[in-house]
Each structure stands twice: as structure tokens, then as C-alpha cells.
Amino acid sequence: MIPPPPTVLRTEVAPALDLLTVPQVMARLQLGRSAVYDLLRSGQLTSITLGRARRIPTHALTDFIRTRLEQEAAA
């Protein structure tokens, strides 16, 4: 009789958090610098500050786009 394979314990690891710069968000949204900073200032797009640098998590950009699409569909 063959013994069962040993169980492997998996530790769930959070996916790496990708951070975008303002110029990267500008390119992805095809918006100007002022427009992106207006979105950040109004809270429509969330970000974090590291020292003097502003970074936008990719999931925040995805959430922003999803929300805008839902708003457009509801209108």
C-alpha cells in the first residue's frame, strides 16, 4: 500500500502592491497633470504619500475606472 502524499501547508501571501506615479496614471487615463491631481484632491482617486512622492495603487485606479463605468451605465 502506498502512503498518502504529505500535506503541504500553504501560507497565503498578499499579492505585491503595484504603485503608479502620477505620470503613469496620466498616460493610462490620457489626462493632464492637473486633472489627475484634481481627482486625487477630490478623493475620487486614492493615493499614498511616501516622503514627497505621491503613489497611486493600481487597485485604486481600477476601482476608479469601474466606478466611473458604473456611473455612466446608470445615467
Side-chain angles (χ1 to χ4, degrees):
M1 186 165 130
I2 301 172
T7 23
V8 177
L9 296 177
R10 287 185 168 196
T11 305
E12 291 298 320
V13 178
L17 185 62
D18 292 328
L19 299 174
L20 302 170
T21 63
V22 169
Q24 289 171 323
V25 173
M26 289 167 50
R28 289 185 184 202
L29 295 178
Q30 297 181 351
L31 291 174
R33 184 175 184 271
S34 297
V36 172
Y37 276 104
D38 286 343
L39 293 172
L40 293 169
R41 207 172 355 267
S42 70
Q44 295 178 62
L45 185 58
T46 58
S47 68
I48 61 172
T49 305
L50 302 170
R52 295 182 66 208
R54 180 74 66 125
R55 296 294 181 261
I56 298 93
T58 53
H59 71 81
L61 183 59
T62 303
D63 292 346
F64 168 75
I65 294 168
R66 183 179 301 118
T67 300
R68 294 299 294 252
L69 287 171
E70 289 170 356
Q71 290 172 348
E72 292 289 325

